[in-house]
Amino acid sequence: MQERRRDSIKLMETFESQEKINLKGLTLPELENLVADWEEPRYRATQLAAWIYGKRVSNFEHMTNLPKRFRAKLMAEASVSEVRAARCTASDADVATKYLFELANGDRVESVLMRDQERTTICISSQVGCAMACDFCATGKMGFFRNLSASQILDQFTAIERDLSREETVTNVVFMGMGEPLANYDQTLKSVRLLSDLDGYGVSEKRITISTVGLAPRMRQLAREGLKCNLALSLNATTDGVRERLMPINEKYPIDEVLDAAKEWAVATKRKATLEYVLIRDVNDTDADAKRLRKLMNRLPCKLNLIPFNEIEDSDFRRPELNRIERFRQLIASARHAAPVRFSKGHDIAAACGQLRTDFGKPGIRMSKAS
């Protein structure tokens, strides 16, 4: 009882500076503590979770199995956050749609909806900007502003889901948008658990992928969480010298360390890690690179995605020629490693891998709303 009370006090302190308590992003135990504070029966928390996560309802008046007096209290003291797109851009082939979301304080983040045959994937951002400063990534050139809360991560999902036709269902969620998910560890994992709750959003853990530049301690921590989500490691080089040029984080966590951490995760979860390798002309696309990559892949249970570089403004990097890409792929495949080439969707609308970058200088500067 004392522990529950401490959790309840901590939760209320978190919200004391807010006008209303945002219920989205709260776990069932947190909702239980909250309704207990309101002197409501515990099962009210389950009812709230079913409305907010299972039925995607944000209007308390529509939560018809709650007593009117409780709904009145909720309207007075709580809210369920939503976010609307300030801008929405679809690719020519309608295989990708990029959303620009403006948050309540004026910060903006981008998310992407991708369609591929039977798969409908939402690519979610976990931060406003990114502190990793990868040289080939547009988001990295923005710099870092702040972490997103679990509710702001989930808001992206529900806003995009709302845009789908009745025949469409979200099959996959990837934390590959703006930011480094493992640098916002607690809120990322909280949103993963809420997304995969069978009584909530109901996305299978095995259909959720967390991408990382290689924060080795967090990768090891993730291995102990008991989650069955996927892990994608942005490797992008086969020597520390090249990787440090592309990804400054390599100075702190070099290739050997991040591969050891990925192996620890793979062994603990009994799942293959995904190595993401962005092919950049005359940087990491040589025959020698391919041969070294084959050896690195032998160190852990893994699969590989080869991603031809998506060219961005203010970058001297270029995509390799098609014959060079195919040569690299064949050298990997010759060692009996699958080496699919993933040409990212949404290139024509700057929604492809590494291209997300909102057009603002300071997070507080607002933009006009979409009509």
Side-chain angles (χ1 to χ4, degrees):
M1 177 62 72
Q2 288 182 345
E3 183 177 352
R4 187 204 68 76
R5 190 65 184 170
R6 284 196 300 270
D7 288 343
S8 179
I9 292 171
K10 182 179 179 181
L11 183 64
M12 295 306 295
E13 286 175 347
T14 301
F15 297 123
E16 66 181 0
S17 63
Q18 299 182 11
E19 185 176 342
K20 291 187 177 183
I21 299 171
N22 182 12
L23 302 187
K24 185 182 286 185
L26 299 187
T27 63
L28 182 59
E30 287 175 330
L31 287 171
E32 288 174 343
N33 289 342
L34 190 58
V35 298
D37 241 31
W38 284 335
E39 298 183 347
E40 292 287 337
R42 185 173 179 176
Y43 65 81
R44 294 280 181 241
T46 303
Q47 291 175 318
L48 280 170
W51 283 111
I52 296 167
Y53 302 126
K55 298 179 181 180
R56 323 293 203 255
V57 172
S58 58
N59 189 331
F60 295 123
E61 291 183 349
H62 297 164
M63 300 181 183
T64 52
N65 64 345
L66 300 178
K68 287 185 178 181
R69 57 166 183 76
F70 185 46
R71 277 182 274 166
K73 184 176 184 63
L74 289 169
M75 284 185 276
E77 299 187 24
S79 66
V80 179
S81 63
E82 290 185 304
V83 68
R84 300 287 177 179
R87 189 164 65 222
C88 179
T89 310
S91 63
D92 291 338
D94 200 31
V95 296
T97 304
K98 182 171 71 170
Y99 294 80
L100 176 63
F101 293 115
E102 184 171 358
L103 308 180
N105 68 345
D107 289 351
R108 290 184 288 275
V109 295
E110 291 181 333
S111 310
V112 183
L113 169 67
M114 297 171 285
R115 297 181 175 93
D116 184 9
Q117 297 178 350
E118 301 300 317
R119 180 177 294 186
T120 301
T121 301
I122 293 179
C123 178
I124 288 180
S125 293
S126 56
Q127 297 179 316
V128 182
C130 185
M132 299 298 107
C134 296
D135 203 21
F136 55 87
C137 178
T139 308
K141 295 180 181 298
M142 286 174 53
F144 172 73
F145 294 100
R146 68 177 181 86
N147 288 326
L148 295 180
S149 65
S151 63
Q152 291 167 331
I153 293 171
L154 296 172
D155 280 342
Q156 298 168 64
F157 177 92
T158 51
I160 295 176
E161 185 187 52
R162 198 164 48 227
D163 256 8
L164 300 180
S165 68
R166 291 185 179 182
E167 294 74 27
E168 289 182 293
T169 302
V170 177
T171 60
N172 296 74
V173 178
V174 294
F175 284 76
M176 295 182 180
M178 298 170 67
E180 162 56 47
L182 295 188
N184 186 16
Y185 189 87
D186 292 340
Q187 297 302 306
T188 292
L189 259 65
K190 191 175 188 182
S191 60
V192 167
R193 289 194 165 98
L194 288 167
L195 282 169
S196 59
D197 190 333
L198 293 178
D199 294 323
Y201 292 101
V203 181
S204 169
E205 285 183 7
K206 296 180 180 180
R207 296 279 187 165
I208 298 175
T209 300
I210 298 174
S211 176
T212 181
V213 297
L215 302 187
R218 291 302 195 186
M219 293 165 68
R220 293 190 172 94
Q221 185 177 353
L222 184 63
R224 301 189 294 270
E225 294 286 352
L227 293 169
K228 294 298 182 182
C229 58
N230 302 300
L231 179 69
L233 169 64
S234 293
L235 188 61
N236 305 323
T238 58
T239 67
D240 284 322
V242 174
R243 195 167 190 265
E244 284 173 17
R245 174 190 170 191
L246 297 175
M247 307 173 69
I249 194 65
N250 195 78
E251 295 181 21
K252 189 171 185 179
Y253 304 118
I255 290 174
D256 283 346
E257 185 170 355
V258 296
L259 289 181
D260 285 347
K263 181 177 181 179
E264 184 175 324
W265 175 88
V267 170
T269 61
K270 297 180 173 59
R271 299 182 65 76
K272 290 184 177 181
T274 299
L275 302 184
E276 305 278 358
Y277 195 94
V278 176
L279 283 165
I280 304 173
R281 185 190 303 174
D282 301 328
V283 175
N284 63 359
D285 65 341
T286 66
D287 287 3
D289 283 308
K291 292 172 183 177
R292 284 192 293 266
L293 183 55
R294 291 187 317 204
K295 291 182 179 179
L296 293 177
M297 291 180 68
N298 290 332
R299 294 176 49 173
L300 72 158
C302 67
K303 51 188 177 180
L304 175 69
N305 282 334
L306 295 175
I307 306 170
F309 175 64
N310 293 304
E311 296 181 7
I312 59 175
E313 293 181 4
D314 306 323
S315 175
D316 294 328
F317 293 139
R318 293 292 176 262
R319 172 181 289 191
E321 300 293 337
L322 288 176
N323 60 350
R324 180 69 252 171
I325 296 171
E326 177 58 18
R327 168 70 176 171
F328 197 98
R329 187 199 68 77
Q330 289 178 355
L331 286 170
I332 300 295
S334 67
R336 298 183 180 179
H337 289 299
V341 177
R342 308 292 191 189
F343 285 93
S344 297
K345 296 175 176 61
H347 186 273
D348 58 323
I349 55 171
C353 178
Q355 290 188 314
L356 297 185
R357 182 181 185 179
T358 60
D359 53 354
F360 64 90
K362 295 182 179 180
I365 298 176
R366 292 183 174 274
M367 65 174 291
S368 60
K369 297 287 185 181
S371 57

